[in-house]
Amino acid sequence: MPELTEQRDVVVERRGSAGIIRLNRSRALNSLTLEMIRSIAAALDEFALDSATATVIVLGDGDRGFCAGGDIRVLHESGRTGTDIAETFWREEFRLNHRIATYPKPYVALMDGITMGGGVGLSSHGRHRVVTERTRLAMPETGIGYFPDVGATWLLPRAPGETGIWMGLTGSAINAADAIYAGLADVRVASFQLPELIETLAELPRNAAFRDVGSLLKNLSDHPGDSELKRNGDLIQRAFHFGSVEEIYGALENEAGEFAAETRRILLTRSPTSLKLALRLLRQGGQSRTLAECLNRELGACMRILNTPDFYEGIRAAIIDKDRNPKWHPATIEAVDQAAVDVFLQPASRPLAL
């Protein structure tokens, strides 16, 4: 019988040679709490030291989502009341992202359904990233007055062309084919085959996991289909290679077709301050040498986002009042003071211990 350990909203299981971590908060689309981050980190530490565990598999409960991100309502309340919960959450989440990227054993993330924000951090830094026909992946932070974090400023600039810049600024959701094209996933496996995949991984001999996991995933995978991002890659390259959001707006105006028009329409709904900040962070991330550099830069921005009105207004409109009608301040790109953006790039008072 499998050995189960339930830790609040995370279930940890040993099945054969596999260690399984299941996010168990499906009613909230498996959104991460601080307790969940700590449970995942503890499980990873335990599995790393366990000689009987060859592979680690991470998945979400239910069929709607792998993980919709962090519990932003708690971050909102922490910022409003001046507690240190938000800072603690980000510090421990970012350390977990780095742990996943450097994990010593095969780490398999099953990105079935909604995979956003913190869910991308739990999956796309891993060694093996599996998407399905139900995957909807996004870094939607500019829509809530925030910016792409969890190491996205390392991942997105390394997507083909300017694909990652398009993702980070628009926050739009992409499918399995797009995720693979963008380098955020490796293979698509049909959702009905995931139980078989888990059982097959659990049956791998301990001394063969490093060699065989990739081949096993490839053998169970199917064709991901056509990527809309790849199809529009030249347009994205032309419009998003600039150093300012204003230039990106202007380039989109000069592009024909629905994709360019819809992209521009979406950008106009996002926080102007967040757009400028996100572009700066993504450009700096593209020049960084390590994920740790990006995570520390993101942490510095996190500490200052708590003092900005758009962060609270975006969360209010998205999850508190749910009117989907945020009133950004300032309301236009032209009104954003560049000096105000520079403030976000100051280092955190205490860097992450990575």
Side-chain angles (χ1 to χ4, degrees):
M1 291 291 291
E3 178 187 344
L4 296 175
T5 304
E6 186 165 358
Q7 301 174 336
R8 296 186 181 178
D9 293 321
V10 173
V11 174
V12 179
E13 172 186 353
R14 288 180 177 82
R15 191 181 306 178
S17 64
I20 300 174
I21 301 172
R22 177 164 56 87
L23 311 184
N24 192 35
R25 198 174 176 231
S26 59
R27 294 179 70 177
L29 293 175
N30 299 313
S31 296
L32 294 171
T33 64
L34 179 58
E35 290 74 19
M36 291 172 71
I37 288 169
R38 289 173 172 172
S39 295
I40 296 166
L44 289 179
D45 288 346
E46 184 175 348
F47 288 145
L49 296 174
D50 180 16
S51 62
T53 301
T55 307
V56 174
I57 304 168
V58 183
L59 68 158
D61 186 56
D63 57 8
R64 295 174 58 208
F66 167 64
C67 174
D71 191 336
I72 57 176
R73 186 186 294 269
V74 171
L75 302 179
H76 177 278
E77 292 174 355
S78 174
R80 283 295 194 204
T81 58
T83 71
D84 63 357
I85 293 174
E87 178 176 356
T88 301
F89 179 93
W90 283 317
R91 284 184 175 278
E92 298 196 25
E93 182 182 31
F94 293 1
R95 281 200 294 268
L96 177 59
N97 300 144
H98 193 267
R99 175 70 163 140
I100 290 167
T102 57
Y103 199 63
K105 295 183 177 183
Y107 178 101
V108 182
L110 305 184
M111 305 155 71
D112 186 30
I114 293 173
T115 304
M116 296 185 178
V120 176
L122 282 184
S123 53
S124 291
H125 290 298
R127 193 185 305 264
H128 302 285
R129 297 86 51 91
V130 178
V131 286
T132 76
E133 77 283 357
R134 300 188 295 207
T135 299
R136 294 294 178 269
L137 183 149
M139 293 300 298
E141 289 79 9
T142 59
I144 59 167
Y146 190 51
F147 60 90
D149 64 344
V150 297
T153 61
W154 169 262
L155 292 169
L156 294 181
R158 286 157 181 80
E162 300 295 325
T163 300
I165 308 303
W166 179 92
M167 285 187 62
L169 297 189
T170 67
S172 296
I174 62 175
N175 63 16
D178 291 328
I180 293 171
Y181 170 70
L184 301 174
D186 302 302
V187 297
R188 191 185 95 152
V189 174
S191 57
F192 77 87
Q193 288 188 289
L194 293 181
E196 175 189 353
L197 171 59
I198 293 170
E199 292 303 323
T200 307
L201 287 170
E203 292 170 0
L204 283 177
R206 291 194 299 275
N207 60 359
F210 270 103
R211 183 188 68 227
D212 293 348
V213 169
S215 297
L216 188 157
L217 295 176
K218 186 175 181 180
N219 289 339
L220 284 176
S221 68
D222 57 15
H223 192 278
D226 295 329
S227 165
E228 183 182 27
L229 293 185
K230 182 177 182 180
R231 187 166 62 251
N232 289 285
D234 290 344
L235 185 158
I236 293 171
Q237 176 68 31
R238 289 193 302 269
F240 282 82
H241 75 276
F242 297 101
S244 74
V245 180
E246 292 91 335
E247 289 174 296
I248 292 172
Y249 278 173
L252 288 169
E253 281 187 322
N254 293 325
E255 293 285 348
E258 180 60 28
F259 184 86
E262 179 64 7
T263 294
R264 190 172 188 279
R265 184 198 67 78
I266 291 169
L267 290 177
L268 289 171
T269 69
R270 303 318 194 204
S271 160
T273 301
S274 290
L275 289 174
K276 287 217 166 189
L277 173 60
L279 184 58
R280 287 280 298 276
L281 290 170
L282 290 165
R283 292 298 185 214
Q284 290 194 7
Q287 298 171 358
S288 296
R289 294 175 297 174
T290 65
L291 169 62
E293 286 181 37
C294 293
L295 289 169
N296 269 302
R297 191 179 297 116
E298 291 171 11
L299 180 64
C302 285
M303 295 301 95
R304 289 161 183 87
I305 205 78
L306 294 173
N307 298 319
T308 60
D310 278 5
F311 178 67
Y312 301 101
E313 173 62 8
I315 295 175
R316 178 205 64 76
I319 68 164
I320 297 176
D321 297 337
K322 298 182 179 179
D323 59 30
R324 306 291 176 181
N325 187 31
K327 304 298 183 185
W328 305 122
H329 180 75
T332 66
I333 286 291
E334 295 76 15
V336 177
D337 182 1
Q338 192 59 50
V341 177
D342 293 341
V343 170
F344 288 99
L345 302 176
Q346 296 176 7
S349 58
R350 289 187 299 118
L352 294 165
L354 300 175

